Amino acid sequence: MDDEESNENRTIITGSKDHYIKVFELERAISGIHIPKYTLKPPHYDGIETLRLADRGRTLFSGARDGCIKKWDLTDQRMLASLSNCHRDWVLALDTFMAGQYLLSACRGGYLRMWRTEDCRPLGEIQAHQAAIHSMATISQAVFTASSDCSISLWQYREPQANAAAAASSAAASSAFDEDN
């Protein structure tokens, strides 16, 4: 995924229908069949659909058909968190947002969810599309989502308003994104 010019090796991270994430270290001039440097365990319970590097390549997030997101420490080759059933359907897209402070996840049901990357705490969700969100991209304070409902949406981030009541706080977190028309 990320490649440093000064390094003669290239790191490739894959996730597939076999439920495993494999990390390969390839020399630039070598081609052929390669054996993974290591495999991250425990695996997902179904095929992996999306991967997202964070924290300058030290952290990896994976999303799968099992509705789960996992957070991995690539330095220590271990799982840091598993968000089981964080979506009711396949997790199809992941991206980091706001200088890596937040993780965004999108699913086959059309929902977009936001999490704190540090502790994986959920911050809110919106039904962004009527069908699966297959791709997502972020810039500064905006998110683009592309769906199988044949639409692309632009979402503008806004800070939730500070409210005294806990219920109002929850509602503010759930509406942290506004669709830009």
Side-chain angles (χ1 to χ4, degrees), residues 63-164:
R65 293 178 177 188
D66 59 8
C68 180
I69 295 172
K70 291 188 178 195
K71 180 180 179 180
W72 305 90
D73 180 325
L74 293 178
T75 306
D76 294 335
Q77 303 172 21
R78 66 185 178 94
M79 186 178 65
L80 299 174
S82 180
L83 308 173
S84 297
N85 298 314
C86 65
H87 280 277
R88 290 178 283 283
D89 214 330
W90 298 1
V91 179
L92 297 177
L94 295 171
D95 206 346
T96 54
F97 188 58
M98 303 285 290
Q101 293 180 72
Y102 306 113
L103 175 72
L104 299 172
S105 62
C107 75
R108 198 165 72 159
Y111 284 88
L112 178 65
R113 292 194 173 155
M114 186 170 169
W115 315 83
R116 282 184 23 171
T117 54
E118 183 181 332
D119 58 8
C120 297
R121 191 181 92 201
L123 297 173
E125 76 170 11
I126 55 171
Q127 182 158 15
H129 292 273
Q130 296 302 310
I133 299 171
H134 289 283
S135 188
M136 171 176 16
T138 61
I139 58 172
S140 169
Q141 290 193 331
V143 178
F144 297 89
T145 54
S147 171
S148 59
D149 65 9
C150 298
S151 69
I152 297 172
S153 293
L154 168 64
W155 303 90
Q156 187 85 26
Y157 177 78
R158 65 178 169 82
E159 288 290 332
Q161 299 295 320
N163 295 321

Side-chain angles (χ1 to χ4, degrees), residues 3-19:
D3 185 35
E4 290 190 28
E5 294 297 322
S6 62
N7 191 346
E8 289 301 314
N9 295 329
R10 176 174 290 173
T11 301
I12 306 290
I13 303 170
T14 66
S16 67
K17 289 183 182 178
D18 73 357
H19 311 185

